[in-house]
């Protein structure tokens, strides 16, 4: 924060806005990067917003238990997952935990070869005839997503839960953790592994969390590389999108207004919210988020004319939502033209996208939370296969097109 206020002082003193770079961090969860220009008040800004949270398994507040001489951690799934995807795959643990004495510990266990991993078990097929007869939605229940974390008992005849105690001893010896500390923690299990090339030709990428980090990385790269833009630029990495964007660090938070007020104080004396809204009304935003690619194995759910293909460029989506376009913002013809025109002029490979057939389902992005602030917004991102599965699939060509699209949006 000191660094930022020094920057602000410097800017105020010299009124040197051209290309000035400022960033703000919200609770270690959101990052807002600005590249400022003199005419921000007259022209507004170009903003690209993505989210850096992905579907995962969060630990419950009181997660630890022992059953049949095995120790487990209870999880609560975060975001829209197909629960049956998560048993029997290697999982790593990430997150932070606050100890009783106030110390904060960042945990990351399971990515290195010599570290243990964690796993949720599933039933052997030989005994799964009832399970296999259930609809997929019910085959694995939320309360069955329990991580196996240990099986060796402690040598103490008087204790009842010997394995749980043994695990607590390991955690205490290694990190100083006691059981109550799990209550003041944000810990999660995610699929193990780095992004990998997919296919003999290596044209596809598979990785956990490409929704929406594939758009976060490309938009960050675009603002870092763009040094000659005429526009005030803003790259916003938000979170909690997968659970509705509520809360202090979601796209509905007033963090954006709060930061804008600070930025506007560099341009005028005592700016108010009305100034912020005025700047919003002049601004343009891309909601940089992934969409579904047309998967030939599941053609029945897609409208072939209105679905993106993997490898055909960045995907522009005029609206998301469900049913009769419920719960979405729809980009106007005028704004859609502006975006299309920018991409065409810059030879960006782009394609039109939609989530699927009408009434087949639906979903949303943060676009509406930006548009509700009177900022012209359209969805623009990378099409995926396997969205929200442990390992999602994208095309390298589309990832590069997304970068080119974001770069040209900032610049033009
Ligand atoms: Mn997303
Ligand atoms: Mn998502």
């Amino acid at each position: 924060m000191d660094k930022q206020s020094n920057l602000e002082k410097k800017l105020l003193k010299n009124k040197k806005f051209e290309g000035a770079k400022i960033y703000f961090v919200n609770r270690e969860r959101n990052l807002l990067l600005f590249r400022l220009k003199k005419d921000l008040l007259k022209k507004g800004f170009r903003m690209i917003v993505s989210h850096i949270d992905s579907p995962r398994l969060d630990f419950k507040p009181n997660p630890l238990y022992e059953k049949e001489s095995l120790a487990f951690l209870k999880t609560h799934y975060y975001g829209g997952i197909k629960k049956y995807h998560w048993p029997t795959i290697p999982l790593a643990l990430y997150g932070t935990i606050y100890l009783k004495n106030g110390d904060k510990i960042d945990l990351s266990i399971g990515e290195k070869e010599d570290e243990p991993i964690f796993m949720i078990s599933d039933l052997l097929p030989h005994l799964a005839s009832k399970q296999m007869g259930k609809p997929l939605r019910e085959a694995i229940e939320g309360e069955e997503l329990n991580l196996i974390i240990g099986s060796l008992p402690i040598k103490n005849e008087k204790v009842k839960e010997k394995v749980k105690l043994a695990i607590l001893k390991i955690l205490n010896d290694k990190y100083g953790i006691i059981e109550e500390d799990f209550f003041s923690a944000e810990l999660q299990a995610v699929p193990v592994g780095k992004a990998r090339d997919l296919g003999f030709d290596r044209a596809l990428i598979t990785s956990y969390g490409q929704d929406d980090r594939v758009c976060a990385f490309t938009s960050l790269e675009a603002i870092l590389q763009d040094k000659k833009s005429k526009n005030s630029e803003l790259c916003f990495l938000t979170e909690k999108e997968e659970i509705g964007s509520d809360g202090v660090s979601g796209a509905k938070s007033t963090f954006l207004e709060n930061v804008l007020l600070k930025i506007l104080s560099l341009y005028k004396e005592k700016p108010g919210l009305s100034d912020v809204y005025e700047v919003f009304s002049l601004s343009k935003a891309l909601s940089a988020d992934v969409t579904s690619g047309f998967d030939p194995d599941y053609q029945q759910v897609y409208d072939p004319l209105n679905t993106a293909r993997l490898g055909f460029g960045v995907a522009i989506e005029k609206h998301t939502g469900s049913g009769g376009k419920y719960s979405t913002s729809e980009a106007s013809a005028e704004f859609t033209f502006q975006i299309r025109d920018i991409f065409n002029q810059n030879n960006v490979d782009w394609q039109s996208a939609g989530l699927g057939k009408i009434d087949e389902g639906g979903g949303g992005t943060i676009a509406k939370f930006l548009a509700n602030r009177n900022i012209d917004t359209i969805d623009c991102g990378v099409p995926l296969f396997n969205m929200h599965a442990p390992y999602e699939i994208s095309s390298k060509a589309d990832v590069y097109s997304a970068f080119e699209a974001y770069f040209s949006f900032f610049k033009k």
Side-chain angles (χ1 to χ4, degrees):
M1 279 317 238
D2 280 335
K3 226 180 183 177
Q4 285 159 7
S5 49
N6 279 340
L7 250 172
E8 286 174 37
K9 272 182 214 154
K10 225 164 136 187
L11 281 168
L12 268 173
K13 211 172 140 200
N14 304 325
K15 293 276 171 199
K16 259 178 93 177
F17 297 115
E18 286 309 301
K21 294 176 283 183
I22 307 184
Y23 70 89
F24 293 82
V25 176
N26 182 23
R27 296 175 161 86
E28 296 182 37
R29 283 162 180 79
N30 304 147
L31 179 64
L32 243 180
L33 300 106
F34 284 89
R35 204 184 275 278
L36 295 173
K37 294 283 164 180
K38 262 189 213 142
D39 54 7
L40 173 67
L41 291 176
K42 278 189 207 123
K43 278 178 61 189
F45 53 77
R46 301 284 173 106
M47 172 163 72
I48 303 183
V49 190
S50 59
H51 66 92
I52 48 175
D53 60 321
S54 297
R56 62 189 190 228
L57 302 178
D58 286 343
F59 289 17
K60 286 200 181 190
N62 184 20
L64 198 57
Y65 71 98
E66 174 173 340
K67 211 167 192 180
E68 296 295 330
S69 299
L70 290 166
F72 294 92
L73 279 167
K74 289 179 84 67
T75 70
H76 193 145
Y77 65 95
Y78 171 99
I81 61 164
K82 288 173 159 180
K83 294 189 258 309
Y84 70 87
H85 280 157
W86 293 74
T88 76
I89 62 167
L91 298 166
L93 305 186
Y94 283 96
T96 54
I97 182 162
Y98 278 87
L99 307 186
K100 204 175 178 187
N101 65 8
D103 283 355
K104 177 190 168 196
I105 295 183
D106 290 318
L107 284 181
S108 158
I109 309 167
E111 297 288 2
K112 294 191 187 121
E113 289 276 318
D114 59 350
E115 286 177 347
I117 54 102
F118 305 88
M119 194 172 280
I120 295 160
S121 62
D122 193 7
L123 207 46
L124 64 168
H126 316 65
L127 294 176
S129 62
K130 271 202 194 115
Q131 184 198 39
M132 305 277 262
K134 288 182 185 175
L136 278 179
R137 189 191 297 277
E138 294 158 24
I140 304 289
E141 312 256 347
E143 293 292 346
E144 290 169 351
L145 296 174
N146 301 312
L147 288 172
I148 299 172
I149 57 161
S151 60
L152 278 182
I154 202 163
K155 262 193 193 165
N156 183 336
E157 309 227 322
K158 287 178 205 142
V159 187
K160 218 174 125 202
E161 297 183 312
K162 294 186 177 60
V163 180
K164 180 179 160 181
L165 190 66
I167 294 297
L168 277 169
K169 187 171 182 318
I170 292 171
L171 290 174
N172 193 261
D173 289 348
K174 207 161 177 193
Y175 308 104
I177 292 171
I178 61 169
E179 189 170 7
E180 193 184 290
D181 297 335
F182 280 105
F183 193 68
S184 51
E186 283 178 51
L187 292 165
Q188 54 197 247
V190 301
V192 168
K194 294 179 181 171
R196 301 285 299 264
D197 288 349
L198 175 64
F200 288 117
D201 58 6
R202 306 186 146 226
L204 304 176
I205 303 167
T206 184
S207 168
Y208 166 69
Q210 294 194 76
D211 175 7
D212 180 35
R213 289 165 199 170
V214 72
C215 297
F217 288 137
T218 41
S219 57
L220 177 63
E221 188 64 23
I223 196 168
L224 294 179
Q225 280 200 24
D226 184 12
K227 298 188 174 95
K228 289 182 188 157
S229 173
K230 291 188 205 111
N231 305 302
S232 290
E233 298 168 0
L234 207 167
C235 173
F236 186 8
L237 311 184
T238 181
E239 64 145 24
K240 300 287 183 214
E241 193 275 342
E242 298 294 357
I243 56 169
S245 296
D246 289 301
V248 290
S249 52
K252 292 185 200 167
S253 159
T254 54
F255 170 60
L256 182 63
E257 282 80 357
N258 195 12
V259 166
L260 248 293
L261 274 172
K262 287 183 193 165
I263 292 285
L264 293 188
S265 72
L266 303 173
Y267 290 79
K268 66 180 286 187
E269 296 251 319
K270 291 188 183 155
L273 265 182
S274 59
D275 298 302
V276 172
Y277 291 136
E278 186 61 28
V279 169
F280 280 168
S281 72
L282 300 166
S283 299
K284 302 176 199 300
L286 294 183
S287 160
D289 206 346
V290 299
T291 185
S292 64
F294 189 97
D295 185 339
D297 269 346
Y298 301 98
Q299 298 193 30
Q300 66 278 12
V301 302
Y302 300 105
D303 168 4
L305 281 180
N306 288 286
T307 306
R309 264 68 174 184
L310 259 59
F312 284 72
V314 71
I316 311 176
E317 205 160 339
K318 287 180 75 178
H319 67 84
T320 56
S322 61
K325 301 189 180 178
Y326 278 93
S327 209
T328 185
S329 71
E330 187 166 23
S332 66
E334 184 190 1
F335 184 57
T336 307
F337 168 75
Q338 290 171 15
I339 298 303
R340 169 189 156 208
D341 195 44
I342 289 172
F343 292 174
N344 281 343
Q345 283 188 30
N346 289 278
N347 297 317
V348 174
D349 289 316
W350 64 271
Q351 53 182 329
S352 100
L355 210 50
K357 272 186 183 161
I358 298 167
D359 296 334
E360 198 65 51
T365 64
I366 50 158
K368 61 181 172 183
F369 308 121
L370 307 174
N372 289 348
R373 289 164 154 125
N374 198 16
I375 305 171
D376 264 322
T377 308
I378 195 164
D379 279 300
C380 176
V382 174
L384 296 182
F385 283 177
N386 297 0
M387 195 197 293
H388 286 199
Y391 302 97
E392 300 169 321
I393 299 174
S394 66
S395 155
K396 288 181 186 176
D398 300 335
V399 178
Y400 190 69
S401 292
F403 163 74
E404 287 190 320
Y406 301 154
F407 188 77
S408 61
F409 170 74
F410 274 148
K411 211 165 174 179
K412 292 288 163 178

